[in-house]
Amino acid sequence: MAMNHNKKLGQLGEKKARRYLRLRLWKILEKNYRCPFGEIDIIAKKGKVIAFIEVKTRLSDAYGAPSEAVNAERQHRYVNSAKYYFSGKTIDCTIRFDIIEVFRGKLNHIENAFEA
């Protein structure tokens, strides 16, 4: 039961994050992009920037801030997923790794949350 609730909460957070990005003129290139290294919640583009975005949604801080869940292992998977996404393509953009926290309904966009 809790797993289903968490999944639904995550989906609502991702939907809110996509709406937030679109309002700021980001183009959503992919949502829930799956590859051998895992899943990327949102890949979005604005100008010459392509952002790989992890969305973390929480109702309480019992497990810490939402962004704290994006540990070194998850960051590594995101970097490898980005490399996979661009394999065979010419990269003419700035690549960025962002986190969007949705905490108790409030959204916090952390740009350049971690480095490749």
Side-chain angles (χ1 to χ4, degrees):
M1 184 77 169
M3 188 62 175
N4 194 11
H5 173 75
N6 288 343
K7 188 174 172 99
K8 203 170 222 166
L9 183 66
Q11 289 170 342
L12 286 171
E14 288 175 25
K15 188 174 182 179
K16 187 172 189 141
R18 288 192 304 272
R19 190 174 329 125
Y20 162 89
L21 290 166
R22 282 192 202 99
L23 286 171
R24 282 148 189 83
L25 305 178
W26 284 85
K27 180 177 190 244
I28 307 298
L29 301 177
E30 303 274 350
K31 62 180 187 177
N32 306 114
Y33 172 78
R34 293 190 196 307
C35 73
F37 299 102
E39 181 182 303
I40 296 178
D41 295 330
I42 300 171
I43 302 173
K45 180 176 184 176
K46 184 175 184 180
K48 288 283 222 178
V49 175
I50 291 184
F52 291 80
I53 304 165
E54 171 80 0
V55 180
K56 284 285 159 205
T57 308
R58 297 278 191 277
L59 293 176
S60 88
D61 55 7
Y63 298 103
S67 61
E68 290 173 15
V70 186
N71 59 22
E73 180 188 335
R74 189 165 290 206
Q75 291 175 18
H76 188 68
R77 281 204 318 256
Y78 253 63
V79 170
N80 283 333
S81 297
K83 289 176 184 172
Y84 186 88
Y85 180 77
F86 284 112
S87 62
K89 298 176 185 159
T90 304
I91 303 173
D92 184 24
C93 61
T94 301
I95 299 167
R96 203 170 79 188
F97 297 94
D98 293 2
I99 298 172
I100 292 181
E101 298 177 315
V102 182
F103 181 61
R104 294 184 180 142
K106 290 193 170 78
L107 194 142
N108 179 30
H109 185 183
I110 304 166
E111 298 180 4
N112 290 307
F114 57 92
E115 298 290 319

